[in-house]
Amino acid sequence: MSLAGKTALVTGAARGIGFVISRVLCERGMRVVINDRDPEATEIAEQKLKQDRFEVAGLAADVTRPADVQNLFEAAEQRFGPLWLLVNNAGVFRAGSCETLPEQDWDETFAVDAKGVFLCSQAALRRMTMQRAGRIVVISSIAGWITRTNQIAYCAAKAAAIHFARCLAVEAAPHGITVNCICPGMTDSAMLRDTAAARNVAIEDYLTMIPTGTLAEAEDHAHTVVWLASEEARHVTGQVISVDGGQSLYHPLTLRR
Ligand SMILES: NC(=O)c1ccc[n+]([C@@H]2O[C@H](COP(=O)([O-])OP(=O)(O)OC[C@H]3O[C@@H](n4cnc5c(N)ncnc54)[C@H](O)[C@@H]3O)[C@@H](O)[C@H]2O)c1
């Protein structure tokens, strides 16, 4: 059973990892709803993929707003029919330690990286339960289970997303739905460059902490999504998969040669 003709919805997909996931799903023949909160960026992303004759629909919505999410899922279904795959990719990063982080940054991070995952998964689950089939993938981060300084809200929100996925997997399993979580390591992206700038660190310094010596490419995450969405992964649920070149294994002594 291939993915061709099935419908996927990817949140935060106007750029970065979400856009690449969308493109790779299109290449597998899926009909893909690209969501982002920025209408103009969503439209541009849609047009880019349409140039390659892919079946895509750009639907702007803020995943932190329940009414937006409801409209998004209704519009997606009207456009492309029953949803097979939801990829909860939208995320924001705010730097700051517990001592310094403004309350607003904590709230914004949790609104997108945790509550947005809940709202979209709930909307997908209600539909997939009726179909008795479907796949939900959460894009968290290795920051959700390894410690990092000056990223207190991001780490805590990504940890919430990981455990949400594990708990939802148990709830969804009797309905034929799998839920899994991908934890990207440092990925060549705008978000990484913003993070590096906020920490005043050169990207090359990061590479010394990754056993493969390379950043992840967004395609690495996209190919993991493809596998989790496939028939081959039907018995895989509640799993947390780090796609990080071994970065989460890092210890100062590990790479000492
Ligand atoms: N880049 C990395 O190194 C890295 C590492 C680990 C995890 N991740 C995670 O991967 C995901 C994608 O990261 P990226 O690097 O492509 O980030 P990015 O900032 O390039 O893209 C995120 C997208 O999400 C959208 N978005 C933000 N808030 C939204 C909202 N409320 N509703 C809808 N869309 C919203 C943004 O507009 C943006 O287009 C994020 O969840 C991020 O936390 C990234």
Side-chain angles (χ1 to χ4, degrees):
M1 195 169 65
S2 88
L3 293 176
K6 287 190 156 82
T7 300
L9 191 162
V10 186
T11 66
R15 67 174 204 179
I17 294 171
F19 180 76
V20 173
I21 290 172
S22 302
R23 180 168 49 69
V24 169
L25 294 174
C26 284
E27 286 165 1
R28 302 300 166 118
M30 293 192 87
R31 303 159 135 191
V32 179
V33 175
I34 297 175
N35 152 260
D36 209 281
R37 70 175 158 194
D38 175 350
E40 203 181 324
T42 306
E43 162 81 21
I44 293 169
E46 178 188 12
Q47 291 311 324
K48 268 192 216 159
L49 292 176
K50 277 193 169 158
Q51 277 168 11
D52 291 325
R53 300 183 177 276
F54 292 132
E55 261 194 290
V56 286
L59 297 177
D62 183 335
V63 298
T64 69
R65 297 188 178 172
D68 271 28
V69 171
Q70 198 177 320
N71 292 338
L72 169 65
F73 279 77
E74 276 169 17
E77 210 166 35
Q78 274 168 17
R79 192 72 185 268
F80 285 151
L83 186 68
W84 172 255
L85 169 67
L86 166 67
V87 183
N88 285 295
N89 168 79
V92 295
F93 171 81
R94 301 279 183 270
S97 65
C98 186
E99 213 177 341
T100 62
L101 190 84
E103 182 187 352
Q104 193 187 341
D105 285 0
W106 176 275
D107 287 344
E108 280 174 14
T109 309
F110 267 78
V112 182
D113 297 14
K115 184 179 173 186
V117 174
F118 157 65
L119 290 175
C120 291
S121 299
Q122 185 180 59
L125 187 71
R126 286 176 176 164
R127 289 166 170 79
M128 291 173 178
T129 300
M130 286 189 286
Q131 299 158 198
R132 299 202 60 77
R135 303 288 161 90
I136 296 175
V137 175
V138 175
I139 307 294
S140 178
S141 168
I142 58 168
W145 67 277
I146 64 169
T147 54
R148 281 189 182 161
T149 52
N150 213 38
Q151 300 189 16
I152 195 80
Y154 186 70
C155 290
K158 289 300 189 183
I162 289 172
H163 206 51
F164 172 83
R166 284 161 48 82
C167 294
L168 182 59
V170 178
E171 186 180 325
H175 305 292
I177 302 159
T178 70
V179 185
N180 290 287
C181 186
I182 295 173
C183 289
M186 284 169 184
T187 306
D188 201 356
S189 63
M191 184 181 274
L192 181 71
R193 279 184 285 279
D194 294 348
T195 316
R199 293 171 66 97
N200 211 10
V201 175
I203 299 283
E204 292 67 37
D205 292 340
Y206 283 149
L207 298 183
T208 63
M209 294 182 277
I210 306 174
T212 57
T214 51
L215 296 173
E217 300 286 336
E219 282 77 1
D220 296 317
H221 312 310
H223 293 142
T224 311
V225 170
V226 166
W227 175 65
L228 289 171
S230 74
E231 180 61 13
E232 285 80 356
R234 68 184 176 187
H235 209 53
V236 178
T237 197
Q239 297 308 300
V240 182
I241 302 172
S242 295
V243 180
D244 69 347
Q247 188 190 344
S248 52
L249 305 172
Y250 174 78
H251 180 277
L253 294 177
T254 314
L255 296 182
R256 192 175 283 171
R257 297 183 203 281

